[in-house]
Amino acid sequence: MGKLIFYIIIAILAYWIINNRKSRKEKKETPLEPIEDMVSCTYCGIHLPKSEAISDRNRYFCCTEHCHQHTNSPS
């Protein structure tokens, strides 16, 4: 009778360990957020996400002031 209880306990522990590992793997496999392209300001050179940059003729700026200063500068 003692051996039967021992084997049942071992079976329960093995089942618990296997299920615990599966749930850990599922938690680790969360989808990552897509990586956003970075651009640098043509005027000052600071890097910022493309979605936050101001675009003017395939050039990117960090703010409207830099955009105006670059377009109004003699070059």
Side-chain angles (χ1 to χ4, degrees), residues 2 5 8-9 11 13-15 21-22 24 27 34-35 39 47 49 51 54-55 69 75:
I5 293 173
I8 291 173
I9 291 173
L13 285 174
Y15 178 78
R21 286 187 181 173
K22 285 182 182 178
R24 283 185 187 172
K27 288 179 185 177
I35 298 172
V39 294
H47 289 83
S51 64
I54 298 165
S55 175
Q69 287 178 356
S75 50

Side-chain angles (χ1 to χ4, degrees), residues 37-41 45-51 53-54 60-61:
D37 291 335
M38 298 290 284
V39 294
S40 62
C41 177
I46 192 169
H47 289 83
L48 65 155
K50 192 173 185 178
S51 64
I54 298 165
Y60 297 98
F61 300 94

Side-chain angles (χ1 to χ4, degrees), residues 3-22:
K3 287 183 181 181
L4 180 63
I5 293 173
F6 176 74
Y7 289 127
I8 291 173
I9 291 173
I10 295 296
I12 291 171
L13 285 174
Y15 178 78
W16 180 75
I17 290 171
I18 291 170
N19 281 340
N20 196 13
R21 286 187 181 173
K22 285 182 182 178

